[in-house]
Amino acid sequence: MTRLAGILLAAALTLAAADKVTVIRAARLFDGKSDRIVSPAVVVVSGNRITAVGANAAAPAGAEILDLGDVTLLPGLMDAHTHLSYPFERDYRNEELGLLKKPVSERTLDAVDVVRRTLMAGFTTVRDLGSTDLIDVGLRNAIDAGKIPGPRMLVSVHALGSTGGHCDPFAGYAPGIFGRESGITDGVINSPDEARLAVRYNIDHGADVIKTCATGGVLSLTDDVDTPQLTQAELDALVAEAHELRRKTAAHAHGATGAKRAIRAGIDSIEHGSFLDDEALDMMKARGTYFVPTLMAAQGLKERISDGYVPPAIEAKARAAMAALDTTVRKAIARNVKIAVGTDAAVYPHGRNAGELVRLVELGMSPAAALRAATSVDADLLGVAARTGTLETGKLADIVACPGNPLDDIRQVEKIRFVMKDGVVFRRD
Ligand SMILES: [Zn+2]
């Protein structure tokens, strides 16, 4: 962070800015829901709300003017799949050892830098899909209280999965090495009743959203990547309980069988989805289930494999999933399945979240659709569309800016140079 950014940040964190009026001017604006760019761009912000938007919006007398020049204003970007309490580790061994050797206090302090970096990359809201030791809850609360800079977080506490499955934190270790076996309080469930209990446990401890592991995964040593790991009855109970308690649900699912069980159960989004077949995509299209392909996870794995930092068993699973994923995403785009932006941040270096939009455009999505996927579509999936996700009057002032025109070159979103969240400026280069 530059010295100026540091000063701005200190000012931002101390200024309540309740009745302050700011007028942001820029060359262009993309509102997060249309297909077009508005030019020139004027956004009026009062306190933490947008009070006027458009080429001809009038500047109220006495307002502070921020003239950002040749940039495009965008709604604050969103990431529907992060792990901000996990550091990025290029070497798989450190990923495992970090959890075993670092105290919770050290891992929490490491995460303070991660949330700051995510916000500075233009991501003002994230859905964090799996943590340990309630680090995600602590981060969310500290950010909301203005104690540390970071994105607005919707957190999930533990991801819920079966014994020995992708989300069992004790899987692959000798029996009893942790002094007990994994259970509800680690997110491990093995019956419909345990699924309901674990949902209640997570919500009791602060979960905004419920994440489950419906199939095996890539970054786990004890399972196949595509096998189902929960029964239909377990997923039915989990989703029903979460929805009764007004929480949305997300399922990690690579294989089609587990994904279809989750879709039938009424899951709100399928994460990863590498091996989704035509039937699964058609079910998602018919039910409005969101697809969050996490292409940046594949990108991160590709880079780590080429650096020689991934064990052979995981490399084989990663190669199979990566080989299938691009085709699946192209099919989903062609079918008009709802695709939302989520990246699996922590599998690749934190702060590169916007690479997901670049990958989606490479696979056939239009730049405008990719920007909507990271703003208004994500806002719908996260259940925050009434508050944020578009540049419209009445919405929270979550506003970022990138150079140039991202509809001409989507890679501009990787160069964010202005970040306002909730009416507070956190970055201005
Ligand atoms: Zn994940």
Side-chain angles (χ1 to χ4, degrees):
M1 186 164 53
T2 64
R3 192 185 165 85
L4 173 64
I7 293 164
L8 279 168
L9 185 56
L13 288 173
T14 49
L15 260 182
D19 44 17
K20 190 178 162 201
V21 179
T22 307
V23 175
I24 305 172
R25 289 195 179 127
R28 290 164 299 277
L29 170 156
F30 181 80
D31 67 5
K33 53 176 194 169
S34 70
D35 264 318
R36 296 183 307 108
I37 290 279
V38 171
S39 181
V42 180
V43 180
V44 181
V45 174
S46 279
N48 68 340
R49 300 265 165 197
I50 295 171
T51 50
V53 188
N56 304 311
E64 186 193 348
I65 309 288
L66 290 182
D67 209 330
L68 301 183
D70 184 23
V71 298
T72 302
L73 302 181
L74 306 166
L77 301 172
M78 297 191 200
D79 187 330
H81 192 137
T82 65
H83 298 281
L84 300 186
S85 57
Y86 296 135
F88 166 72
E89 295 283 4
R90 202 165 289 285
D91 189 334
Y92 180 80
R93 286 166 299 186
N94 291 340
E95 208 164 284
E96 295 259 295
L97 290 173
L99 290 176
L100 294 175
K101 290 195 168 177
K102 280 190 182 180
V104 178
S105 51
E106 187 175 354
R107 287 192 278 128
T108 305
L109 289 167
D110 285 348
V112 171
D113 178 57
V114 170
V115 294
R116 184 193 58 78
R117 212 175 322 157
T118 305
L119 177 64
M120 295 310 166
F123 286 77
T124 53
T125 303
V126 305
R127 185 176 69 159
D128 202 67
L129 291 184
S131 183
T132 60
D133 303 293
L134 299 177
I135 294 174
D136 56 350
V137 173
L139 290 170
R140 177 198 64 194
N141 294 350
I143 291 166
D144 284 350
K147 293 174 187 168
I148 57 170
R152 188 176 296 109
M153 291 178 73
L154 279 72
V155 304
S156 59
V157 181
H158 305 123
L160 306 181
S162 57
T163 291
H166 179 65
C167 290
D168 177 353
F170 295 7
Y173 290 96
I177 199 165
F178 297 102
R180 60 182 178 85
E181 295 304 314
S182 57
I184 302 288
T185 56
D186 313 292
V188 174
I189 54 173
N190 290 287
S191 71
D193 282 350
E194 287 186 359
R196 286 189 186 274
L197 179 50
V199 168
R200 293 169 186 167
Y201 177 91
N202 275 1
I203 293 173
D204 180 30
H205 291 289
D208 303 298
V209 56
I210 297 298
K211 156 86 177 289
T212 186
C213 289
T215 76
V218 172
L219 286 166
S220 43
L221 280 165
T222 54
D223 56 357
D224 290 334
V225 65
D226 58 339
T227 52
Q229 292 190 341
L230 289 170
T231 64
Q232 186 68 58
E234 286 163 343
L235 285 163
D236 287 348
L238 180 148
V239 174
E241 188 68 21
H243 284 171
E244 277 182 19
L245 298 174
R246 298 208 181 95
R247 298 303 193 279
K248 298 216 184 200
T249 55
H252 159 111
H254 287 281
T257 304
K260 283 181 231 179
R261 287 182 193 169
I263 298 162
R264 266 184 231 112
I267 205 88
D268 296 285
S269 65
I270 294 291
E271 311 293 309
H272 316 307
S274 312
F275 307 105
L276 292 175
D277 58 17
D278 291 351
E279 186 188 18
L281 291 171
D282 288 342
M283 287 166 69
M284 292 169 75
K285 167 83 179 152
R287 291 163 184 255
T289 314
Y290 290 80
F291 180 21
V292 183
T294 66
L295 294 155
M296 278 305 287
Q299 180 63 29
L301 278 167
K302 196 191 276 179
E303 294 168 14
R304 288 162 67 183
I305 287 169
S306 74
D307 291 344
Y309 283 129
V310 174
I314 286 178
E315 180 176 338
K317 293 204 283 183
R319 286 193 187 282
M322 290 185 312
L325 180 60
D326 285 5
T327 308
T328 305
V329 173
R330 283 182 198 279
K331 279 192 198 172
I333 292 169
R335 272 177 168 76
N336 264 323
V337 172
K338 289 184 196 171
I339 296 179
V341 159
T343 64
D344 220 356
V347 179
Y348 64 90
H350 288 287
R352 284 173 52 192
N353 314 56
E356 188 77 14
L357 287 82
V358 178
R359 290 288 292 121
L360 284 168
V361 170
E362 284 170 3
L363 294 176
M365 192 179 271
S366 72
L371 285 167
R372 288 194 296 269
T375 54
S376 56
V377 176
D378 263 351
D380 278 329
L381 169 59
L382 271 55
V384 298
R387 292 188 288 147
T388 186
T390 56
L391 297 183
E392 289 180 289
T393 300
K395 294 286 173 77
L396 292 176
D398 292 344
I399 304 164
V400 302
C402 69
N405 183 343
L407 297 194
D408 293 339
D409 179 6
I410 193 65
R411 285 173 300 181
Q412 299 288 10
V413 295
E414 295 181 305
K415 302 167 197 155
I416 293 293
R417 50 170 67 165
F418 174 82
V419 177
M420 172 182 272
K421 190 194 95 182
D422 215 19
V424 175
V425 176
F426 285 90
R427 177 174 191 167
R428 187 182 174 189
D429 296 3

